[in-house]
Amino acid sequence: MATTTLTGFSMMSVLSLGYLTWDLMSPNQVDNEPDQTFHGRFPVPQPPHIIFIMTDDQGFNDIGYHSSDIRTPVLDKLAADGVKLENYYVQPICTPSRSQFITGYQIHTGLQHSIIRPRQPNCLPFDQVTLPQRLQQLGYSTHMVGKWHLGFYKKGCLPTRRGFDTYFGSLTGSVDYYTYNSCDGPGLCGFDLHEGESVAWDQKGKYSTHLYTKRVRKILATHDPRSEPLFIFLSFQAVHSPLQSPQEYIYPYRGLENVARRKYAAMVSTVDEAVRNITYALRKYGYYQNSVLIFSTDNGGQPLSGGNNWPLRGRKGTYWEGGIRGLGFVHSPLLQKKRRVSKALVHITDWYPTLVGLAGGDESLTEGLDGYNVWKAISEGKESPRLEILHNIDPLYNHARRGSLQKGFGIWNTAVQASIRAGDWKLLTGEPGYGDWIPPQILPGFPNSWWSLERHIKPRKSVWLFNISGDPFERFDMSEQRPDVVKQLLARLVYYNRTAVPVRFPSEDPWAHPQLNGGAWGPWVGDEEEDSWDRVYLKKNKDWKKKLKQSKNWSFFRRLNSRMMSNRI
């Protein structure tokens, strides 16, 4: 057994944030050697324990090491001692990033458009073999804690049916941090906290970031690290709206004039503390020396809710860099080259083959995936095998008025929303979303209608080209100077589009209403019932006409909520 020296932060550094935590490693804590099993006379290292932590809506400028006004000493230290990923991409909104993390490109799952709404009979396709399912095959104990947002209309959609041995968290996209009430429009609210496949009514009133952290620590405390490797996917609700935090975390940011930014900063601090306590548990219970901790955001920040992506362009819900350039780092004793910044091109789909490779799986388990095994690029500093990223092709999004097949050289309709990165170049077509550069907010606040005035100014073009390596802030459009590059990238979009499956975006089902399901969100369609993606589900029941009438009364609120969600995204 090897005893390592004390690492981490002084007590004063964390006290200045307004919360009390322990050091990254207790002075009396003895670190463990990497776990080993024995075959004959020779020890065989056990595959590493994998902890994947995802935050929700944390912007590029919402972490300390990007010179933010938000203090994150734990995340900064872990990133500094590991490998910072500064050429790392995610998707612009929640569902796509989570689906691509455990499967592949949206165009290959039918989830190209928007998010999965609570009342949609939709989820991650059943023919997809997920990352946790592969890890189960390789002998891992798999656990998920936090936000799912990949559909739940059937029990077969639930995390426990898609590769996780245990699940504790919320199924929808946004809940109250204390009450776990989730609304999909006025009067369309229900409880959303689940233990496995049951509703966890008894956990109401506990702050979700603390509750999820406590559950992860419990998993670490009760599992034997030498018995089998562990995979934990911690999908924080934070720092997604609503902006809620215990008061003691807000006080250190009392100097921030902008109220939303102040509350948002406090929520980031709760995440920082949570990661601190999880790291402590990894050491305490003997996982750390044979562990890989990955930190990732799911999309860019939302300035309307306190987030910030400065100096990048755009925000959550857009294909500008501010919507898709993610925060990310890897911290592990197993890294061969630590304490560095990696500019290797990495996409969220790369974690699937990378983690399967770390788990000891051969390449046959990852054939046909959209991701690449980037472990050598991260750990050893080698070239990334990834040369391009399809950010997305969304044929249902509002078509750009000025787009046409003619402007796409006769091979691509530039009215269609799409984006691709190849080498240094990035191409956008259609309507990429709100494209301003938004500095950190310092004013107390201003009417939300001001955002709408700017947002609804339609661009007078439908094609943009940027050299992202030389112009990461997307200030110099090169589409007119380099039509040759535009045409090449349009041809790549055509190639990818030929592999796309039809979009799955069914109508909302009135039978999903929580009041028809005991007051909680949960599955409402039997697993034996046949799927239909182009109509509202109507169960064969004598009350169905009454429920349909109710659903028509809700139609106004559905339309209103769609506009609200559009502005929110």
Side-chain angles (χ1 to χ4, degrees), residues 155-156 158-161 167 194-199 523:
K155 284 189 175 181
L158 299 177
T160 48
R161 308 289 180 100
Y167 173 68
H194 296 261
E195 176 79 67
E197 298 181 7
S198 302
V199 181

Side-chain angles (χ1 to χ4, degrees), residues 244-313:
Q244 295 174 303
S245 170
Q247 188 64 35
E248 61 267 26
Y249 297 89
I250 299 176
Y251 183 76
Y253 294 103
R254 59 193 181 280
L256 294 181
E257 293 292 334
N258 185 272
V259 176
R261 184 67 173 169
R262 187 188 313 155
K263 294 179 179 179
Y264 181 93
M267 295 167 70
V268 175
S269 287
T270 66
V271 171
D272 192 64
E273 178 193 56
V275 175
R276 155 73 198 80
N277 291 333
I278 291 168
T279 308
Y280 174 83
L282 288 174
R283 291 184 179 275
K284 178 179 180 181
Y285 299 116
Y287 296 90
Y288 179 76
Q289 285 296 332
N290 190 35
S291 69
V292 175
L293 186 149
I294 301 167
F295 181 87
S296 171
T297 51
D298 68 339
N299 48 246
Q302 172 56 281
L304 285 169
S305 300
N308 189 254
N309 306 299
W310 182 264
L312 302 180
R313 184 177 186 176

Side-chain angles (χ1 to χ4, degrees), residues 83 87 126 167 180 183 214 216 225 242 323 329 351 353-355 403 408 416 426 461 463:
V83 176
N87 200 11
F126 299 116
Y167 173 68
Y180 300 95
C183 297
K214 183 178 179 181
V216 171
F329 65 79
W351 295 121
T354 300
L355 299 185
V416 175
K426 175 183 175 183
K461 57 186 303 177
V463 178

Side-chain angles (χ1 to χ4, degrees), residues 462-493:
S462 60
V463 178
W464 293 262
L465 178 71
F466 300 97
N467 184 324
I468 291 299
S469 297
D471 178 26
F473 311 140
E474 297 173 298
R475 293 185 178 274
F476 305 103
D477 178 16
M478 303 287 290
S479 58
E480 294 184 4
Q481 292 91 329
R482 296 300 304 269
D484 57 321
V485 177
V486 171
K487 189 172 183 179
Q488 291 177 23
L489 294 186
L490 289 176
R492 293 302 293 164
L493 287 178

Side-chain angles (χ1 to χ4, degrees), residues 274-553:
V275 175
R276 155 73 198 80
N277 291 333
I278 291 168
T279 308
Y280 174 83
L282 288 174
R283 291 184 179 275
K284 178 179 180 181
Y285 299 116
Y287 296 90
Y288 179 76
Q289 285 296 332
N290 190 35
S291 69
V292 175
L293 186 149
I294 301 167
F295 181 87
S296 171
T297 51
D298 68 339
N299 48 246
Q302 172 56 281
L304 285 169
S305 300
N308 189 254
N309 306 299
W310 182 264
L312 302 180
R313 184 177 186 176
R315 66 190 191 195
K316 174 187 177 179
T318 76
Y319 287 95
W320 305 109
E321 292 292 284
I324 58 177
R325 178 76 73 92
L327 293 175
F329 65 79
V330 178
H331 179 92
S332 172
L334 305 179
L335 293 167
Q336 293 191 25
K337 293 184 178 180
K338 305 181 182 71
R339 299 178 179 86
R340 64 185 186 86
V341 175
S342 171
K343 294 297 181 70
L345 187 61
V346 178
H347 185 246
I348 194 167
T349 55
D350 296 331
W351 295 121
Y352 189 153
T354 300
L355 299 185
V356 168
L358 278 175
D362 58 43
E363 293 183 358
S364 66
L365 296 178
T366 57
E367 287 181 357
L369 292 179
D370 297 311
Y372 295 84
N373 187 334
V374 293
W375 181 249
K376 289 185 178 179
I378 294 172
S379 176
E380 302 174 28
K382 294 186 176 181
E383 291 289 327
S384 172
R386 177 174 286 282
L387 301 177
E388 68 180 20
I389 298 172
L390 175 68
H391 293 305
N392 195 26
I393 299 171
D394 185 352
L396 297 189
Y397 194 81
N398 298 333
H399 283 200
R401 294 182 179 178
R402 297 179 180 270
S404 67
L405 189 62
Q406 180 182 4
K407 292 180 180 179
F409 296 94
I411 62 174
W412 183 261
N413 184 356
T414 63
V416 175
Q417 185 191 65
S419 182
I420 188 171
R421 164 86 183 264
D424 296 330
W425 297 100
K426 175 183 175 183
L427 179 78
L428 303 98
T429 69
E431 173 61 71
Y434 181 85
D436 205 351
W437 296 266
I438 306 170
Q441 300 163 31
I442 58 175
L443 298 176
F446 49 84
N448 286 348
S449 59
W450 290 12
W451 290 95
S452 299
L453 289 174
E454 291 188 76
R455 184 176 182 203
H456 293 136
I457 296 176
K458 297 294 183 183
R460 297 184 177 182
K461 57 186 303 177
S462 60
V463 178
W464 293 262
L465 178 71
F466 300 97
N467 184 324
I468 291 299
S469 297
D471 178 26
F473 311 140
E474 297 173 298
R475 293 185 178 274
F476 305 103
D477 178 16
M478 303 287 290
S479 58
E480 294 184 4
Q481 292 91 329
R482 296 300 304 269
D484 57 321
V485 177
V486 171
K487 189 172 183 179
Q488 291 177 23
L489 294 186
L490 289 176
R492 293 302 293 164
L493 287 178
V494 172
Y495 163 78
Y496 281 111
N497 200 44
R498 288 172 179 162
T499 71
V501 301
V503 178
R504 308 172 83 145
F505 197 74
S507 301
E508 294 173 331
D509 184 353
W511 282 89
H513 197 298
Q515 297 308 314
L516 303 178
N517 295 279
W521 293 102
W524 69 92
V525 175
D527 286 337
E528 72 284 352
E529 294 188 43
E530 185 178 352
D531 287 330
S532 176
W533 303 101
D534 58 356
R535 63 182 177 86
V536 173
Y537 278 68
L538 299 176
K539 288 191 175 182
K540 296 180 179 179
N541 185 289
K542 63 181 180 180
D543 292 332
W544 72 268
K545 290 185 178 180
K546 178 180 178 182
K547 304 306 179 186
L548 180 59
K549 184 178 180 180
Q550 287 181 331
S551 74
K552 289 180 178 178
N553 292 335

Side-chain angles (χ1 to χ4, degrees), residues 78-250:
L78 291 173
D81 288 343
V83 176
K84 297 177 185 175
L85 305 178
E86 291 295 285
N87 200 11
Y88 173 54
Y89 286 88
V90 292
Q91 296 307 110
I93 46 180
C94 313
T95 296
S97 282
R98 284 164 175 78
S99 68
Q100 295 201 36
F101 167 52
I102 62 174
T103 55
Y105 282 153
Q106 295 164 257
I107 63 166
H108 296 146
T109 59
L111 300 176
Q112 300 97 309
H113 181 66
S114 190
I115 58 175
I116 296 178
R117 304 302 300 272
R119 290 175 293 140
Q120 280 185 309
N122 194 11
C123 72
L124 199 64
F126 299 116
D127 61 353
Q128 297 285 323
V129 179
T130 67
L131 169 61
Q133 287 173 327
R134 285 294 187 213
L135 293 178
Q136 282 181 328
Q137 295 171 3
L138 294 169
Y140 272 72
S141 176
T142 60
H143 307 268
M144 181 176 175
V145 178
K147 175 177 171 177
W148 175 238
H149 208 186
L150 290 176
F152 56 88
Y153 76 106
K154 290 184 175 183
K155 284 189 175 181
C157 302
L158 299 177
T160 48
R161 308 289 180 100
R162 306 313 303 269
F164 291 101
D165 297 327
T166 69
Y167 173 68
F168 180 65
S170 297
L171 299 173
T172 63
S174 177
V175 302
D176 186 281
Y177 281 74
Y178 292 96
T179 67
Y180 300 95
N181 199 40
S182 176
C183 297
D184 193 34
L188 294 168
C189 300
F191 186 77
D192 183 19
L193 184 63
H194 296 261
E195 176 79 67
E197 298 181 7
S198 302
V199 181
W201 296 101
D202 60 325
Q203 299 298 324
K204 183 177 181 180
K206 302 173 183 177
Y207 188 65
S208 74
T209 304
H210 293 162
L211 188 62
Y212 293 159
T213 305
K214 183 178 179 181
R215 174 52 58 93
V216 171
R217 295 186 69 183
K218 181 180 179 180
I219 294 171
L220 294 172
T222 56
H223 181 82
D224 180 2
R226 294 183 180 273
S227 64
E228 57 184 346
L230 191 67
F231 171 60
I232 297 178
F233 176 29
L234 172 55
S235 178
F236 277 121
Q237 172 190 354
V239 287
H240 194 290
S241 60
L243 299 179
Q244 295 174 303
S245 170
Q247 188 64 35
E248 61 267 26
Y249 297 89
I250 299 176

